[in-house]
Amino acid sequence: MNDMLKNILLWLVIAAVLLTVFNNFNTTSETNRISYSEFVKEVQDGRIAKVIVDGYTISGTRSNGDSFDTVRPAASDPKLMDDLLNKNVVVEGRMPEQQSIWTQLLVASFPILLILAIFMFFMRQMQGGGGGKGGPMSFGKSKARLLPEDQIKTTFADVAGCDEAKEDTEELVDFLREPSKFQRLGGKIPRGILMCGPPGTGKTLLAKAIAGEAKVPFFTISGSDFVEMFVGVGASRVRDMFEQAKKHAPCIIFIDEIDAVGRNRGSGMGGGNDEREQTLNQLLVEMDGFEGNEGIIVIAATNRPDVLDPALLRPGRFDRQVTVGLPDIRGREQILKVHLRKVPCDDDVEPKNIARGTPGFSGADLANLVNEAALFAARSNRRLVNMEQLELAKDKILMGAERKTMVMNNEEKLNTAYHEAGHTIIGYLMPEHDPVYKVSIIPRGRALGVTMYLPEDDKYSVSKRGLESQVCSLYGGRIAEEMIHGFDGVSTGASNDIERATSIARNMVTKWGLSEKLGPFAYEEDDNSGGYISGPTGSKANYFSPETGKVIDAEVQDIINRCYETATRILHENRSKLDVMAEALMQYETIDAKQIKEIMDGKKPSAPEGWSDPSADSPDSGEEKPAPEAATEETVDASDVDGVSGEASRPAGE
Ligand code: ADP
Ligand code: ZN
């Protein structure tokens, strides 16, 4: 970078000097220029002492010492020489000026030379042969970060809750420790491992732990680092990375988000992306290029193994797959223990209980939970983290941070209370619905209120009845609002509920085969990033005719109408409970499963734990309106319907 700048500067200085020199050359004599006829006259008058004839220009000095010059017209003047000699003027000749042509050429070609120099500079950088390190100009250098073996503190003990993945990778440690031993025995060691799993499940952590256990250097790079604007840069980065790795072998190369480069070639829009394709090709070449015995293992991570180019998965490349899934309840307990070890804990802390209340949490979520709890403890000047703070942290992660500063006026509060109570009552009464865990009208994140459901166990699939129950409870909020204000008084707060309900209903029909009329067919794909035909990324690939499309729409509407009716009926039947619950929410702002059960049993709800009566210093609700972006309301549901496709999803929430 610096060299480059210096070079350019040097050239600019040279150019400036050259230009001024030439300018002077042309202008100095300009002041004394006389016309040719004047010159001839002066010669005849005998006032000229000496002339130098140089092509068309004639310069010289007069007898009084003044210098002058003139330009000879193209028409030849044979008499001039005679005149000059007659008047005893000293005449000197000059060889035709050759230098000037060369210098002019140099000046003319200077910009081209400059461009060439810059171009060559970049070319050299792209080959990875440039001297300097890093810097924004070093396009071709890989951005891989090297972690030397003595700086890796991660071991297998830090990775919990994914025992199978750990087992699968243990032999790599032995290999990396002593590649030659395996070589002698002719053992075949995989060159590439593909770790598949949702984000935050510890793929990076596991790869690092392998390096830590084997005490070898660890290179990390993200797939998206390879993708650059300029064609060829990614490929040279791949080359550079493998070159560096060879110098440090045995070692591990970890490529995060490999799907950024490794997507199926020839898919996507516009007939593929040259840059990405070249990068991918280079990666394949490099992976074929080194022998297993060099002691380099490439570990790649992705949460979309389905979109990868099949060439990547061929033998000799990423031929071994390790699945790192979301932890189950036992796994969560172990992960919590790993992270709780790092903070001072009270005796009452029960990792098992928290593990039970956090289905769908990834390792990263759990690490975050412990961290938040430690922050809560610090904020309240405690020395130890106890169960209360862990619960608070869990709520914060599940439902978003409370927005204490946002003041709702009473009317909005009441509206939100009825809305959430509506969700809650339907959720409570519908079959196969996750139990309600907490309801709150304290604004959190972007939501005005939250009704949170938590499944009792880890859930991997939902039945048709369960899905319909979810659609019903999603509409519960809006219906409750309608019951107290009439249709004209309904707020926009239900937009997110409506969106989610519609999407569940549509997926039931087009993906999960839950419509009797349409049968078990896939009519829509998630999106086409899996290398399917048509459309830009993110759009849906459809597999149906316009006629079927109409039937699909009718079926979706049918599900929604049925659910809406059911929910309306249930809420009308439970009108008194709805009122009691809304009142309780107005009073306590947050109630949990215990109070909900009391209300549903027709009792008066008790005060929630830790609730103190604030009526002493009557908190008058201000006139302020909530921030406009807060106009959405959300129901956070830890058992999101994505669970149907196999894996329980992460808890929703902002
Ligand atoms: P991924 O690469 O799968 O997206 P990471 O490995 O980056 O996830 O995980 C992020 C953080 O979450 C880790 O640094 C660690 O603190 C925590 N974490 C994730 N999974 C686990 C696990 N299985 N055991 C312990 N901690 C974990
Ligand atoms: Zn709602």
Side-chain angles (χ1 to χ4, degrees), residues 419-420 423 449 451 473-478 481 493-498 633-635:
H419 182 109
E420 300 305 331
H423 283 311
T451 304
S473 69
L474 280 167
Y475 282 120
R478 183 199 160 92
E481 282 186 47
S495 67
N496 185 267
D497 297 338
I498 294 173
E633 186 279 341
E634 263 160 68
T635 303

Side-chain angles (χ1 to χ4, degrees), residues 158-162 197-206 254 256 301 324 335 338-339 342 362-365 367:
D158 297 310
V159 190
C162 48
T201 46
K203 299 181 289 293
T204 315
L205 193 71
L206 185 57
F254 180 73
D256 208 356
V324 189
I335 295 174
V338 166
H339 291 282
K342 298 172 197 161
S362 69
D365 293 328

Side-chain angles (χ1 to χ4, degrees), residues 140-293:
K141 302 290 280 181
S142 87
K143 285 192 184 165
R145 273 176 301 127
L146 170 64
L147 213 59
E149 57 268 36
D150 47 351
Q151 278 180 29
I152 305 174
K153 303 273 181 273
T154 314
T155 62
F156 277 148
D158 297 310
V159 190
C162 48
D163 296 337
E164 289 150 42
K166 246 155 84 176
E167 265 165 39
D168 281 352
T169 48
E170 250 157 16
E171 64 161 348
L172 298 178
V173 176
D174 296 331
F175 165 70
L176 286 166
R177 272 193 191 144
E178 231 179 314
S180 54
K181 191 174 97 191
F182 277 78
Q183 224 174 300
R184 251 182 282 123
L185 297 174
K188 262 194 81 181
I189 278 295
R191 295 178 215 181
I193 313 262
L194 187 65
M195 290 199 183
C196 313
T201 46
K203 299 181 289 293
T204 315
L205 193 71
L206 185 57
K208 210 188 254 179
I210 297 169
E213 291 278 341
K215 302 204 168 41
V216 298
F218 184 68
F219 283 93
T220 32
I221 193 160
S222 168
S224 52
D225 290 340
F226 290 125
V227 186
E228 280 284 345
M229 207 163 33
F230 300 112
V231 174
V233 174
S236 79
R237 281 194 180 150
V238 171
R239 213 177 305 127
D240 183 60
M241 184 182 70
F242 275 86
E243 248 162 49
Q244 283 190 46
K246 274 175 199 156
K247 282 184 214 148
H248 290 90
C251 68
I252 286 182
I253 298 178
F254 180 73
I255 307 177
D256 208 356
E257 305 172 44
I258 191 156
D259 38 302
V261 271
R263 267 171 197 259
N264 210 340
R265 280 170 294 186
S267 80
M269 38 185 163
N273 174 334
D274 271 350
E275 160 65 353
R276 217 193 56 215
E277 222 162 89
Q278 276 192 21
T279 310
L280 176 57
N281 282 337
Q282 188 63 37
L283 185 64
L284 297 178
V285 167
E286 294 288 346
M287 293 218 45
D288 291 342
F290 67 85
E291 296 297 319
N293 53 28

Side-chain angles (χ1 to χ4, degrees), residues 79-139:
K79 237 184 97 252
L80 176 69
M81 198 45 88
D82 295 344
D83 284 349
L84 286 171
L85 293 173
N86 284 341
K87 298 282 173 191
N88 287 328
V89 178
V90 183
V91 179
E92 274 180 26
R94 277 275 157 87
M95 289 290 283
E97 182 85 77
Q98 286 210 311
Q99 193 197 2
S100 83
I101 292 177
W102 282 113
T103 36
Q104 271 173 20
L105 249 181
L106 185 70
V107 173
S109 60
F110 174 71
I112 300 174
L113 285 179
L114 189 68
I115 290 170
L116 261 173
I118 293 175
F119 184 70
M120 296 219 326
F121 172 81
F122 281 136
M123 284 305 284
R124 239 192 22 216
Q125 287 293 307
M126 281 185 201
Q127 305 303 329
K133 250 203 152 174
M137 289 292 225
S138 54
F139 283 120

Side-chain angles (χ1 to χ4, degrees), residues 398-557:
L398 276 172
M399 310 201 278
E402 291 181 2
R403 286 179 48 172
K404 295 225 170 87
T405 51
M406 192 176 120
V407 188
M408 286 197 284
N409 63 31
N410 256 342
E411 199 182 313
E412 274 165 329
K413 236 169 130 178
L414 189 69
N415 197 46
T416 311
Y418 268 96
H419 182 109
E420 300 305 331
H423 283 311
T424 308
I425 290 176
I426 308 287
Y428 188 90
L429 292 174
M430 291 303 291
E432 292 186 31
H433 199 289
D434 292 332
V436 184
Y437 159 76
K438 217 168 232 182
V439 202
S440 165
I441 57 166
I442 299 174
R444 282 171 186 271
R446 294 180 58 227
L448 294 181
V450 173
T451 304
M452 216 178 66
Y453 315 98
L454 262 195
E456 262 152 356
D457 320 298
D458 295 350
K459 263 198 175 179
Y460 297 101
S461 71
V462 188
S463 68
K464 176 170 184 267
R465 199 178 303 125
L467 287 167
E468 284 179 357
S469 295
Q470 282 185 25
V471 177
C472 290
S473 69
L474 280 167
Y475 282 120
R478 183 199 160 92
I479 297 169
E481 282 186 47
E482 203 178 316
M483 280 165 68
I484 52 163
H485 295 306
F487 189 68
D488 295 336
V490 168
S491 76
T492 55
S495 67
N496 185 267
D497 297 338
I498 294 173
E499 228 167 80
R500 289 180 54 194
T502 313
S503 129
I504 293 175
R506 191 159 183 98
N507 284 338
M508 283 172 72
V509 176
T510 59
K511 273 197 218 155
W512 301 326
L514 296 177
S515 148
E516 266 172 37
K517 239 186 226 159
L518 284 156
F521 297 103
Y523 294 98
E524 266 169 18
E525 294 290 346
D526 271 335
D527 56 46
N528 76 333
S529 44
Y532 301 99
I533 19 91
S534 96
T537 346
S539 78
K540 291 191 173 188
N542 297 334
Y543 301 113
F544 54 78
S545 63
E547 294 77 44
T548 316
K550 275 183 202 148
V551 185
I552 289 175
D553 289 343
E555 279 290 281
V556 173
Q557 273 169 18

